Amino acid sequence: MDWDLVRFLTGEAGLFVVGVILGALSFRTIALPLLYALPRAVVWVVQGRLRWSVVLRLLASLIWWGALFALGAYLLARFEPGAWERLYSSPPFYVGLWLGISLRAFRAMGSKSGQRALQDRFLNSVKSHLIERERTQEEQMGENIYERVWHLSRGGTRYGPYSFDELRRRAKRGDVRDDDLLWRPGVAEWADAPSVLGSVKKGRS
């Protein structure tokens, strides 16, 4: 057996794995907040729904992670120049890097469950910066007419997210049953459909 070849292939496989990990981590900590959380927070601030402090917090987080990656690259190049040169010139590392980015991007935005989790994480991260205001009766019941945040549970299966208007239309068509449960981020427990939508039809099985 050619042990030099085995060591070479093992090293290239290790660089590929490092690339995947760094790609996924950099997308989650830098690219995703920059492309999703920060623009959305700015829009909510302009709408008067969030305080400006949340934008500063998001920017501070981006700067922190960017500085951490830069410091890691500097230390590697400074104290392990051989390892840095191999990493810098390794095709498997770059393939792994883009694969990690792609997988993380698809997981976050390529499926309904990923988009729902992304939205839930954003809402949880900014809830302490929300601006309290007098709400309408429908909003006090949990409506947010600008977002698809309502989830419906039937027989243990979760559907959605829907906007409040979508739920009302579904209820009028008989697609929401009186034993369905509804929930949105910010509400502690699931509520039965009639308590949110008023009386609903029996619906189809």
Side-chain angles (χ1 to χ4, degrees), residues 183-204:
W183 174 84
R184 70 168 180 87
V187 175
E189 298 178 351
W190 291 80
D192 58 277
S195 68
V196 177
L197 301 170
S199 60
V200 298
K201 298 180 181 179
K202 288 296 183 181
R204 296 191 289 270

Side-chain angles (χ1 to χ4, degrees), residues 80-97:
E80 293 291 340
W84 170 255
E85 286 295 331
R86 187 176 181 188
L87 188 71
Y88 186 76
S89 61
S90 170
F93 170 75
Y94 290 104
V95 171
L97 188 71

Side-chain angles (χ1 to χ4, degrees), residues 29-30 60-72:
T29 58
I30 296 178
S61 177
L62 288 170
I63 293 171
W64 161 256
W65 279 105
L68 195 61
F69 280 113
L71 178 62

Side-chain angles (χ1 to χ4, degrees), residues 16-30:
F16 173 79
V17 172
V18 170
V20 171
I21 294 172
L22 287 178
L25 183 61
S26 62
F27 184 84
R28 189 181 192 280
T29 58
I30 296 178

Side-chain angles (χ1 to χ4, degrees), residues 28-96:
R28 189 181 192 280
T29 58
I30 296 178
L32 196 57
L34 191 61
L35 296 173
Y36 178 83
L38 185 60
R40 191 174 190 190
V42 170
V43 171
W44 280 30
V45 167
V46 173
Q47 291 175 344
R49 301 165 67 184
L50 286 175
R51 300 183 183 89
W52 273 107
S53 56
V54 71
V55 175
L56 298 177
R57 183 174 64 80
L58 289 171
L59 285 173
S61 177
L62 288 170
I63 293 171
W64 161 256
W65 279 105
L68 195 61
F69 280 113
L71 178 62
Y74 169 77
L75 292 176
L76 185 63
R78 177 70 174 80
F79 296 103
E80 293 291 340
W84 170 255
E85 286 295 331
R86 187 176 181 188
L87 188 71
Y88 186 76
S89 61
S90 170
F93 170 75
Y94 290 104
V95 171

